[in-house]
Amino acid sequence: MVNIDEYKIVFELISKKDSRMNWYNLEIALSRQGFGGSINALQILERLLSEGLLETISNQQLPYPIYKITDAGRARLCTSAA
């Protein structure tokens, strides 16, 4: 089960680098924040994708899909920041 704080941490990290964050970069960012190994990034990414808050962008030139925040995700981010 995903902790709401973990969900928020991942979502905010992705929002800082919107359209430039892939799974690998997210793991590095989590590690730099002191969360390496304690947050299941893939589980959270899957949840954000299933809720329509993120979408993926695939490109043959990139080794991993890039995560982009959707309009619904931006709305959620704005309401959680208020």
Side-chain angles (χ1 to χ4, degrees):
M1 179 156 181
V2 177
N3 176 318
I4 193 69
D5 292 331
E6 295 173 352
Y7 176 92
K8 184 177 179 182
I9 290 165
V10 169
F11 200 57
E12 288 177 355
L13 285 172
I14 292 171
S15 74
K16 290 179 183 177
K17 299 215 181 247
D18 195 21
S19 299
R20 294 174 288 161
M21 180 70 78
N22 61 35
W23 169 83
Y24 182 74
N25 292 336
L26 177 59
E27 288 289 349
I28 291 171
L30 287 168
S31 183
R32 287 183 179 156
Q33 296 283 326
F35 300 109
S38 65
I39 292 179
N40 186 333
L42 286 178
Q43 181 182 12
I44 295 170
L45 289 170
E46 287 175 8
R47 180 174 168 192
L48 291 169
L49 285 165
S50 72
E51 290 181 11
L53 303 176
L54 288 181
E55 62 186 5
T56 57
I57 301 170
S58 296
N59 181 327
Q60 289 181 328
Q61 297 172 345
L62 302 173
Y64 304 107
I66 301 294
Y67 294 94
K68 179 175 176 24
I69 297 177
T70 63
D71 290 340
R74 286 185 207 297
R76 172 81 61 90
L77 192 60
C78 288
T79 58
S80 68

